[in-house]
Amino acid sequence: MDIRELISLDDVMEELGLGPNGGLVYCMEHLEDNLDDWLTEELDNYLDDDYLVFDCPGQIELYSHVPVLKNFVEHLKRKNFSVCAVYLLDSQFMTDVTKFISGCMACLSAMVQLELPHVNILSKMDLVTKKKDLEDFLDPEPTFLLSELNQRMGPQYAKLNKALIELVNNYSMVSFIPLDLRKEKSIQYVLAQIDNCIQYGEDADVKVKDFDPEDDE
């Protein structure tokens, strides 16, 4: 399904004189107004066991300032979909601890708003030249993060740094799964984590292989 069949960002920006962010919010609110009509009709084209992936906009204000995607998720739940949020953080963004914490805060904002099982992915690992630089951020210790933050920021921010690290740690947000599109095992592992969140395939009938007891020694 393609939301551009319902509304186009380019058309909204041209006709209403809005910028990219304002235009996108307008488009998503228009989608929200058509959940029971356009989206429901599109979803009816799929079977009960179909696996759907929704590619959502990356603008953080859609997750932190307006309830559009929250209502979108609730609509899917009412249609008996098992839903999981997959948050992609660009691995090339993770050059130091301050940017890591910033990425975690954006991720946490979406997580709190959507209230869904969450899988955090460090994307574009195939483009990273120095993977050792990222190892400290894949599953870091809170003490390491706090120490690094305090070194990079003034002493007046010590209490704020401690509060941020505790918040990230309490929400188990300091764990990212690296995704390297060149490696099939990496893709399979990420997919397995998502499948586990939505319990995909758990309601399938167990297949039992017939065998002859006489052949069993």
Side-chain angles (χ1 to χ4, degrees), residues 31-129:
L31 171 63
E32 183 181 14
D33 292 336
N34 286 272
L35 291 177
D36 292 325
D37 300 318
W38 181 82
L39 183 61
T40 296
E41 185 177 330
E42 292 292 327
L43 292 174
D44 287 341
N45 294 324
Y46 297 92
L47 302 175
D48 290 342
D49 59 349
D50 278 341
Y51 197 113
L52 304 184
V53 178
F54 293 93
D55 183 13
C56 300
Q59 279 79 352
I60 190 63
E61 56 264 35
L62 292 175
Y63 306 88
S64 59
H65 291 72
V66 292
V68 173
L69 285 167
K70 167 71 172 176
N71 293 334
F72 173 77
V73 164
E74 292 299 326
H75 181 80
L76 293 176
K77 289 181 178 180
R78 288 194 295 270
K79 296 296 181 181
N80 296 320
F81 280 90
S82 296
V83 187
C84 165
V86 181
Y87 187 90
L88 302 178
L89 186 63
D90 193 331
S91 58
Q92 299 180 83
F93 181 78
M94 308 276 280
T95 56
D96 60 58
V97 67
T98 54
K99 291 183 178 179
F100 173 78
I101 295 299
S102 175
C104 283
M105 289 296 101
C107 185
L108 180 57
S109 176
M111 176 176 154
V112 170
Q113 176 84 332
L114 296 178
E115 297 181 336
L116 287 175
H118 226 70
V119 176
N120 305 311
I121 295 177
L122 211 53
S123 64
K124 301 181 182 179
M125 287 294 291
D126 49 306
L127 302 179
V128 176
T129 54

Side-chain angles (χ1 to χ4, degrees), residues 145-210:
L145 293 177
L146 182 58
S147 174
E148 287 290 306
L149 262 186
N150 287 335
Q151 289 180 26
R152 292 178 176 271
M153 300 178 69
Q156 66 269 32
Y157 297 108
K159 290 184 178 179
L160 174 63
N161 293 340
K162 185 174 183 293
L164 284 174
I165 297 303
E166 289 177 350
L167 177 64
V168 170
N169 188 49
N170 289 341
Y171 277 88
S172 299
M173 283 290 302
V174 288
S175 179
F176 285 86
I177 303 172
L179 174 61
D180 189 335
L181 293 179
R182 299 172 302 179
K183 300 178 181 179
E184 186 175 350
K185 285 186 177 180
S186 176
I187 299 173
Q188 290 177 343
Y189 183 76
V190 168
L191 185 59
Q193 299 302 309
I194 299 170
D195 288 348
N196 182 59
C197 280
I198 62 176
Q199 299 180 319
Y200 183 73
E202 290 193 3
D203 57 348
D205 293 333
V206 177
K207 295 182 180 179
V208 180
K209 183 178 180 181
D210 294 332

